[in-house]
Amino acid sequence: MTVEHPDPDGDGFGMSDTLCIAWELDLAEALKAIEAKRVRGLVAMMPGWASPTGQWSSRQVTEVWLEADDNGKFVTLMDDSGKVFDGAMRSEPSKSRGASELLLRLPPFKSGPTRARSGNAGTSRRRAASKA
C-alpha cells in the first residue's frame, strides 16, 4: 500500500511511504488508522498456488471490505477488473454473509505516467512529478 504524506509546503513535492502488509486484518487496521484519501495505490501479491500462471503475481486493488461471517472477521478485495477475491488468505469461502464495511475505494488503475483521482472519500489525488 502506498500512502501519501500531506505536503506542508504545498509545492507539489510531497512524500509517500510504501507499506508491506502480511495479513488481511493488519491491512484493515492500517486502513482504519489513516485517511483513505491518502492511499495512492494498493497491490495484492498472490502466491503461485492462487495465480493462474502458477507463479507469484500481483493484482491492483480498487476496493477493500471488512466483512464478518460465522467464522469471524475477514477482508475481501476487489481488483481493477471488478473481480472479488480474498488475497488467497482464507482456506474456505464464507458460508453466510454478515456485516460488511467499505474501508477503501480507489478508481480502477489506468496505465500512464500519471493518474488523477477525484477527491471523494477513499480516493486521493496524485501529485505531478514535477512543476510545469
Side-chain angles (χ1 to χ4, degrees):
M1 174 170 62
T2 301
V3 179
E4 186 175 63
H5 291 285
D7 183 9
D9 300 328
D11 61 6
F13 292 101
M15 299 289 292
S16 63
D17 286 325
T18 298
L19 310 169
C20 181
I21 300 171
W23 301 106
E24 62 176 342
L25 294 178
D26 291 344
L27 172 62
E29 291 302 315
L31 288 171
K32 287 182 174 189
I34 61 171
E35 294 176 89
K37 68 181 181 180
R38 292 180 45 213
V39 177
R40 289 180 42 197
L42 180 61
V43 175
M45 296 304 299
M46 305 299 294
W49 57 267
S51 172
T53 65
Q55 301 293 320
W56 279 87
S57 62
S58 64
R59 291 171 83 169
Q60 293 284 339
V61 176
T62 58
E63 290 186 9
V64 178
W65 290 84
L66 180 60
E67 302 191 60
D69 67 7
D70 296 339
N71 296 320
K73 292 184 178 183
F74 62 97
V75 171
T76 300
L77 308 170
M78 181 183 293
D79 68 14
D80 59 348
S81 68
K83 293 182 182 173
V84 175
F85 66 106
D86 67 5
M89 300 299 285
R90 293 175 56 85
S91 58
E92 61 183 70
S94 173
K95 298 202 182 336
S96 65
R97 301 296 280 185
S100 63
E101 175 185 1
L102 178 64
L103 299 178
L104 179 70
R105 178 175 284 145
L106 298 170
F109 180 77
K110 294 178 183 165
S111 62
T114 61
R115 176 177 70 165
R117 295 185 178 160
S118 69
N120 294 336
T123 62
S124 65
R125 295 186 185 274
R126 177 174 275 204
R127 294 190 177 156
S130 64
K131 287 185 175 182

